[in-house]
Amino acid sequence: MDINNGTQKTPAEPSRRDILYIATGAAATVAAAGMVWPLISQMNPDASTRALASTEVDLSTIPLGQIVTVKWRGKPVFVRHRTPEEIKAAENVPLADLPDPEPDSKRVQKPEWLVIIGVCTHLGCIPTGKAGEFDGWFCPCHGSTYDVSGRIRSGPAPSNLEVPLYTFLSNTKIKIG
Amino acid sequence: MSGHSQYKPKSGFAQWLERRLPILSFMHDSFVSYPTPKNLNYMWTFGAILSFMLVAQIVTGVVLAMHYTPETTLAFDSVEKIMRDVNWGWALRYMHANGASMFFLAVYIHIFRGMYYGSYKEPREVLWILGVVIFMAMMATGFLGYVLPWGQMSFWAATVITNLFSAIPVVGTSITTWLLGGYSVDNPTLNRFFALHYLLPFIIVAIVALHVWALHVTGQNNPTGVEVKDLKKDTVPFTPYATMKDGYAIGAFLVLYAWMAFFVPNYLGHPDNYIEANPLVTPPHIVPEWYFLPFYAILRAIPNKLLGVIALFLSILIAAALPWLDRSPVKSGSYRPMFRKAYWVFVAVCIGLGYLGAMPAEGVYLWLARIFSFYYFLHYVFILPLIAKYEKPEPLPESIDAAVAAGSASHA
């Protein structure tokens, strides 16, 4: 016996069952995507890592001409108390000489305090201070040199040393992050 | 390849099992009666050597994991504890660390053997691509494992390699943070690297199973590159012939492995890795393990971060395209005079890149690395297709059997 006898719909006409199939498939897709999200998101920094995301630095202990390294977010941050000559040198560089042109004034809030993340923008090594051709920083791994503004001058690094977000809490105290 | 199974279970239990799960006939067909070309040379024993090394690494790795602590403040000390306090811990660790080197040595011979004898050619393309996938999984595993002892080289290797992803435009930094589980390499990174280093070898086992499956469907290539025509004349059963020969080769390989592990266990290591990881000081000269040096040289040769990273990944992935880059109908390099020369130049370039990867990236080294990197890609995309077009191959033997007969005649 043909159970569809006389009642079978043509394929062009969606049946109630087709709608149920599609709705079930769509709901399952959304549910699967929702389930994947925690699996991806758990890889991002956790609450304890994010809680340690800012650091305060007392500037009064840093003598003129010295660089102090502070650990912030597991990375070194260089705080350099620049001398007037160094400031002048940094400000007088023609922008055309720079692979990643940026005026010194854009990189500092107060000219005597340079605050930069001490991670070479090439492959993440830590450059040594007061070294290299421009007396700024020199990365021993692949030979990138940076100037007293932390700008890339030569070598494979593609961009300037990054300036982190920081604010002056007082004249002698900054908060990084 | 051998057709319908000839296996007849004898004992009552074997007959009972065979009707429910035909695993006995599968093992018999794969490792006993499996027809093996009778002209295979010792280059063909590295598949078995690699299977042995995979098991050796998993066994030594599992027991090391029972003594290791994946926590940044304890990891370095737990490895020193393995070396000093754990019974036979020093031997197990040296076997595992040098085992990685031996594993890569064997895989490179295996790969270059395949390249010389055209093992990537029709009908073995899928077999070859699976091999490239295994090689990449091995590289990932080797890198993840290198990070675990939490020495200076470990820490900075992790930093440099994860920073490669920061070269991706726009989302690079977010991806790097996601991979690290923080803003720099730290405890979450070490935890996940340990979990993945433990997981990946089992995934490699699964891909190796597919690799061997594909091999058993197409049959093995052989030094003439001529396919098997007559099973009776051209092949011998896997057991005892290949089993014994592979066993002998594994024994010889073990002599070298044991010498490395027991007499010069730190020869291929780096002294900086006996200094505990310090996120604030970079070693002056960062170098990867020897088996990554050619690729590291390619990365550094290109004076642009993103392009360098792309070249690094391409230099590995391009091997998967070999079946379509080399269209010569003749498989074996033994019958291809032009290919043979280009092949050895390519081998020399790869070794040269390895040497340059260990040298500082400056001056003449950098320029040589650029020339060699250029030639590396030139070989794949230009030289191989051209040779396939213009080369006049030497006459092929009629069959494997005929080649063997001619060989023994000339020796008589």
Side-chain angles (χ1 to χ4, degrees):
Chain A
M1 187 181 90
D2 183 16
I3 54 164
N4 287 320
N5 192 18
T7 61
Q8 196 180 29
K9 293 190 169 79
T10 60
E13 245 178 290
S15 67
R16 192 186 293 233
R17 181 163 294 181
D18 288 335
I19 303 227
L20 282 172
Y21 278 148
I22 292 166
T24 310
T29 309
V30 171
M35 270 312 297
V36 168
W37 181 245
L39 294 173
I40 294 171
S41 180
Q42 54 82 25
M43 299 260 292
N44 270 317
D46 64 15
S48 70
T49 308
R50 277 180 278 130
L52 293 173
S54 73
T55 290
E56 285 182 16
V57 186
D58 182 5
L59 299 179
S60 62
T61 57
I62 308 173
L64 190 70
Q66 291 297 298
I67 305 170
V68 160
T69 305
V70 243
K71 201 169 159 187
W72 173 68
R73 292 185 172 182
K75 295 176 198 169
V77 167
F78 299 143
V79 182
R80 183 166 184 159
H81 194 171
R82 301 194 298 183
T83 62
E85 301 82 64
E86 286 172 343
I87 297 168
K88 199 176 279 172
E91 285 173 347
N92 289 344
V93 178
L95 287 188
D97 285 5
L98 299 169
D100 180 13
E102 213 181 353
D104 185 60
S105 56
K106 276 259 169 78
R107 298 179 51 80
V108 289
Q109 295 180 15
K110 294 184 179 180
E112 62 270 37
W113 296 106
L114 175 73
V115 183
I116 47 173
I117 298 177
V119 175
C120 180
T121 53
H122 181 225
L123 289 174
C125 301
I126 295 175
T128 32
K130 299 204 167 194
E133 203 186 328
F134 301 92
D135 208 32
W137 281 269
F138 173 74
C139 183
C141 301
H142 303 116
S144 296
T145 57
Y146 299 89
D147 65 15
V148 281
S149 190
R151 292 172 296 198
I152 179 67
R153 298 302 288 272
S154 65
S159 53
N160 302 334
L161 291 175
E162 202 186 325
V163 178
L165 272 180
Y166 66 95
T167 42
F168 274 88
L169 299 175
S170 71
N171 263 340
T172 57
K173 199 169 233 179
I174 58 166
K175 184 182 160 206
I176 307 171
Chain B
M1 179 172 169
S2 49
H4 206 71
S5 181
Q6 304 294 308
Y7 178 70
K8 293 268 183 303
K10 288 193 194 81
S11 76
F13 173 74
Q15 285 169 11
W16 181 88
L17 182 65
E18 183 66 19
R19 278 192 64 194
R20 286 153 182 86
L21 178 70
I23 193 168
L24 293 173
S25 60
F26 173 76
M27 298 300 279
H28 186 270
D29 295 347
S30 303
F31 301 110
V32 180
S33 66
Y34 177 67
T36 310
K38 65 181 183 182
N39 60 339
L40 297 188
N41 59 35
Y42 271 102
M43 292 297 114
W44 261 265
T45 57
F46 283 87
I49 289 171
L50 284 163
S51 308
F52 172 85
M53 284 313 300
L54 181 57
V55 173
Q57 287 302 85
I58 289 177
V59 170
T60 52
V62 166
V63 294
L64 283 172
M66 295 176 186
H67 301 280
Y68 171 76
T69 314
E71 211 277 326
T72 50
T73 57
L74 301 168
F76 186 85
D77 290 341
S78 77
V79 173
E80 289 309 302
K81 186 173 143 52
I82 288 169
M83 295 302 286
R84 290 165 164 80
D85 295 351
V86 174
N87 302 324
W88 295 94
W90 58 272
L92 291 165
R93 175 166 175 256
Y94 278 155
M95 280 192 253
H96 193 70
N98 287 287
S101 274
M102 298 305 289
F103 203 156
F104 273 98
L105 174 69
V107 89
Y108 281 130
I109 297 173
H110 194 63
I111 291 170
F112 278 107
R113 187 269 296 160
M115 285 183 171
Y116 184 81
Y117 292 109
S119 298
Y120 46 84
K121 291 189 175 184
E122 190 274 320
R124 298 186 182 82
E125 298 95 326
V126 171
L127 172 61
W128 176 260
I129 292 168
L130 285 166
V132 176
V133 175
I134 293 169
F135 179 56
M136 288 194 291
M138 277 178 65
M139 293 180 86
T141 310
F143 160 66
L144 293 168
Y146 190 56
V147 175
L148 302 183
W150 211 240
Q152 269 291 66
M153 277 295 178
S154 299
F155 181 91
W156 290 99
T159 302
V160 168
I161 299 301
T162 52
N163 257 295
L164 293 179
F165 293 91
S166 72
I168 302 167
V170 189
V171 291
T173 314
S174 309
I175 287 180
T176 306
T177 306
W178 179 73
L179 286 171
L180 296 176
Y183 306 106
S184 56
V185 175
D186 211 335
N187 203 45
T189 322
L190 179 59
N191 283 173
R192 68 187 57 172
F193 276 25
F194 179 55
L196 293 174
H197 182 67
Y198 206 114
L199 169 69
L200 271 179
F202 297 97
I203 291 176
I204 293 178
V205 168
I207 315 172
V208 166
L210 292 178
H211 190 66
V212 174
W213 184 10
L215 173 75
H216 284 198
V217 170
T218 60
Q220 281 166 291
N221 187 22
N222 68 86
T224 64
V226 175
E227 295 295 321
V228 171
K229 286 179 179 138
D230 181 335
L231 279 180
K232 276 215 173 70
K233 282 184 174 167
D234 293 339
T235 69
V236 290
F238 192 85
T239 301
Y241 299 99
T243 322
M244 285 300 123
K245 188 171 177 175
D246 286 348
Y248 175 75
I250 289 172
F253 191 77
L254 273 172
V255 173
L256 180 63
Y257 180 13
W259 175 74
M260 290 281 323
F262 290 116
F263 289 90
V264 285
N266 289 306
Y267 182 69
L268 294 169
H270 207 285
D272 275 309
N273 225 25
Y274 283 100
I275 304 168
E276 194 170 354
N278 181 352
L280 297 183
V281 180
T282 314
H285 186 201
I286 296 184
V287 267
E289 293 280 80
W290 70 267
Y291 37 84
F292 294 142
L293 287 174
F295 307 104
Y296 189 59
I298 291 174
L299 165 77
R300 295 192 307 180
I302 292 169
N304 175 297
K305 188 167 154 182
L306 179 60
L307 293 180
V309 174
I310 290 172
L312 167 73
F313 282 105
L314 263 187
S315 67
I316 302 157
L317 283 173
I318 198 167
L322 256 184
W324 296 277
L325 291 169
D326 173 12
R327 305 302 295 265
S328 169
V330 174
K331 287 198 185 85
S332 172
S334 303
Y335 303 95
R336 303 185 56 194
M338 277 165 82
F339 169 85
R340 208 154 53 220
K341 285 186 191 116
Y343 172 87
W344 288 113
V345 173
F346 179 70
V347 171
V349 162
C350 291
I351 294 170
L353 279 170
Y355 169 78
L356 293 167
M359 293 296 118
E362 57 197 31
V364 66
Y365 297 125
L366 197 53
W367 280 105
L368 279 175
R370 281 176 189 155
I371 295 165
F372 280 32
S373 301
F374 180 73
Y375 186 87
Y376 180 93
F377 288 104
L378 193 76
H379 176 81
Y380 276 107
V381 300
F382 197 69
I383 297 176
L384 280 181
L386 272 191
I387 288 178
K389 214 170 168 187
Y390 293 108
E391 178 181 58
K392 197 166 168 287
E394 290 155 10
L396 288 174
E398 207 169 293
S399 67
I400 294 172
D401 183 52
V404 172
S408 54
S410 67
H411 286 298

